[in-house]
Amino acid sequence: MKIKDKNRKELVASSKYYIWLKQLTNYMDRYYLDAALGFAIPGGIGDAITALISIAYVLFSAIGIRSFPLTLAILNNSLRDLLLGLIPFYVGDVIDIFHKSNVKNMQLIDGFIKEDPETVSTVNKKAVYSIILFICLCIMIYIMFRIAIAAAKYMFSLF
């Protein structure tokens, strides 16, 4: 963990970016905006938009906290959320309601800032296999995008 100085931890936890991430988490997962965007914008586009929004967590962990293992764990959660959201015929969007990757990412950030031993241990364990999983998730996301596009084309061809 890179946050060694107690003053630095307090600055990170009280920063405007951190407070904004807390609010973003509420909107995306507690008010179901993540799933709503997937339902509202078909063809995987809504899910891609929510994946772009989750870059905020990645940037905060990489730049604000400066932790490579935490950044990998957050990328892992965000890509898994994108993959689940891309399951066709709105099944992925229903799963998105329960997956809540933004809440999980915020819990990792909070636990890491507070030096919760369980969270730090979880993050470090995830960092070991996250790179391989990252590559696999990217490949699976590409395949799911292709399937979602094909399914959307098929659905539109019916009309």
Side-chain angles (χ1 to χ4, degrees), residues 8 15-16 21 27 44 59 74 79 91 94 106 119 132 137 142 147 159:
R8 174 144 166 67
S15 70
K16 289 181 182 179
L21 277 180
Y27 289 118
L59 290 175
I74 289 173
L79 289 174
V91 173
V94 172
M106 202 64 220
T119 302
I132 295 169
L137 285 173
Y142 172 77
I147 292 171
F159 298 108

Side-chain angles (χ1 to χ4, degrees), residues 5-117:
D5 183 45
K6 188 171 181 117
N7 291 334
R8 174 144 166 67
K9 285 184 232 174
E10 291 171 3
L11 283 174
V12 169
S14 64
S15 70
K16 289 181 182 179
Y17 198 90
Y18 176 81
I19 294 166
W20 178 76
L21 277 180
K22 288 272 207 188
Q23 293 170 342
L24 179 66
T25 301
N26 280 333
Y27 289 118
M28 293 304 290
D29 284 342
R30 293 203 172 100
Y31 298 129
Y32 307 107
L33 183 60
D34 190 357
L37 283 171
F39 278 117
I41 307 172
I45 297 169
D47 297 304
I49 291 169
T50 62
L52 289 174
I53 291 170
S54 71
I55 291 174
Y57 299 97
V58 174
L59 290 175
F60 186 73
S61 66
I63 297 169
I65 298 176
R66 298 184 199 145
S67 170
F68 185 68
L70 179 62
T71 303
L72 286 176
I74 289 173
L75 270 171
N76 185 334
N77 285 342
S78 299
L79 289 174
R80 186 177 299 136
D81 182 60
L82 175 60
L83 179 65
L84 291 172
L86 289 174
I87 296 173
F89 306 113
Y90 299 105
V91 173
D93 299 316
V94 172
I95 292 171
D96 235 351
I97 292 171
F98 302 104
H99 186 249
K100 300 187 181 209
S101 70
N102 297 297
V103 169
K104 291 176 184 178
N105 287 339
M106 202 64 220
Q107 287 170 342
L108 288 175
I109 289 171
D110 284 339
F112 212 78
I113 290 173
K114 295 174 184 169
E115 294 182 352
D116 174 47

